[in-house]
Amino acid sequence: MEKMDASKPELWELAHEKKRIKNPLVPIGALLTAGVLTAGLISFRQGNSQLGQKLMRARVVFQGATVAVMVGSAAYYGEQINWFKKKKD
């Protein structure tokens, strides 16, 4: 695997900026997952196991949704790349 040249930082920044623009739901989903996980762990520690259990279930839902968005967007953008390659040929 080829590393990006350190002398071209604008290329590295552009690649990361495009990923955030294309798929802003993934960082949002990751933050929601982490927030619900933290709240669940705090509630378990405080002895509120019913609330902790509900929050852990919510975490699974957020985590699943985040993974689904990642897979869906990878498939969508992968198809776009294939479509552009076919059109170019």
Side-chain angles (χ1 to χ4, degrees):
M1 189 170 164
E2 187 178 317
K3 286 188 172 183
M4 287 192 177
D5 190 6
S7 65
K8 297 180 182 178
E10 65 276 353
L11 185 61
W12 179 257
E13 291 170 9
L14 179 65
H16 283 294
E17 185 64 29
K18 278 189 154 194
K19 284 183 184 179
R20 279 193 298 266
I21 291 171
K22 283 185 180 179
N23 206 349
L25 295 177
V26 173
I28 292 169
L31 287 173
L32 285 172
T33 302
V36 172
L37 173 65
T38 303
L41 291 174
I42 289 170
S43 66
F44 276 131
R45 187 169 176 128
Q46 292 175 348
N48 192 350
S49 62
Q50 284 184 336
L51 178 61
Q53 216 33 269
K54 287 180 183 179
L55 288 168
M56 288 299 125
R57 289 181 187 137
R59 176 195 56 88
V60 170
V61 170
F62 282 125
Q63 193 170 1
T66 302
V67 170
V69 167
M70 287 171 53
V71 169
S73 64
Y76 175 75
Y77 289 114
E79 284 297 318
Q80 277 192 338
I81 290 171
N82 289 337
W83 185 75
F84 284 123
K85 283 181 182 177
K86 287 178 185 176
K87 196 171 184 180
K88 204 174 191 182
D89 293 338

